[in-house]
Amino acid sequence: MKLIETRLGGRPDRAGAAFRKWFPGTEETIEADAVIIAFGFLPSPPDWFVQQQIALHANGRVRVSAAPQQRFQTTNPKVFRRGDMVRGSDLVVTAVFEGREAAQGILRYLGLRASPAH
Ligand SMILES: Cc1cc2nc3c(=O)[nH]c(=O)nc-3n(C[C@H](O)[C@H](O)[C@H](O)COP(=O)(O)OP(=O)(O)OC[C@H]3O[C@@H](n4cnc5c(N)ncnc54)[C@H](O)[C@@H]3O)c2cc1C
């Protein structure tokens, strides 16, 4: 596995993300029998989204409604979604908050009284 040291720098891209600069001379090679890539920042929607009529944006993120009464409802009305799969990579606190908001949307969809957000 070849490694190189990076630092944030340069002008941010259109999404606002800063570029990582490579630092020549910091390369290192580590011998390994197998390498498991265990992190990622891009959506990987499963095949069953298509079967369930859950539409995606071109970048692979899930489309959700912005209408106040159907917030976070996908194009399959029985499926609500929020978090990184909708917003893109963010923070745990954002995912928790939006999970609660999506739950409020589910309660409204079911005709149950939505409790106030905490
Ligand atoms: C490397 C890395 C480091 C990070 N560090 C931080 C940090 O320091 N602080 C911070 O606040 N945030 C951090 N984040 C971001 C944070 O982890 C995410 O924003 C947050 O976890 C998003 O929550 P989520 O519920 O949207 O998605 P996830 O946490 O990704 O949850 C989705 C879940 O769905 C499961 N799943 C997927 N497909 C299926 C399926 N077909 N059936 C059943 N289950 C399925 C997955 O296994 C997963 O458990 C980091 C993210 C990465 C990738």
Side-chain angles (χ1 to χ4, degrees):
M1 181 168 60
K2 289 183 180 174
L3 308 175
I4 187 167
E5 197 175 305
T6 63
R7 288 184 200 154
L8 290 179
R11 293 174 55 186
D13 63 15
R14 273 188 284 174
F19 283 112
R20 280 165 184 77
K21 282 184 173 173
W22 294 10
F23 274 76
T26 63
E27 296 89 346
E28 173 182 5
T29 303
I30 298 175
E31 296 296 328
D33 294 323
V35 176
I36 301 172
I37 299 173
F39 64 91
F41 298 97
L42 300 173
S44 54
D47 295 341
W48 58 263
F49 276 14
V50 176
Q51 295 145 18
Q52 295 299 321
Q53 287 89 45
I54 298 172
L56 304 172
H57 291 286
N59 59 13
R61 294 183 195 158
V62 175
R63 286 181 185 273
V64 292
S65 167
Q69 291 306 310
Q70 289 93 28
R71 288 193 82 194
F72 314 134
Q73 189 177 41
T74 68
T75 46
N76 178 332
K78 293 184 178 175
V79 177
F80 289 70
R81 191 64 174 100
R82 206 59 182 144
D84 283 13
M85 198 65 187
V86 172
R87 168 187 287 277
S89 56
D90 209 289
L91 298 173
V92 169
V93 287
T94 310
V96 170
F97 173 75
E98 292 184 340
R100 289 181 174 202
E101 293 229 307
Q104 298 287 338
I106 294 167
L107 288 172
R108 277 193 291 274
Y109 175 71
L110 294 173
L112 303 171
R113 190 173 167 203
S115 59
H118 297 289

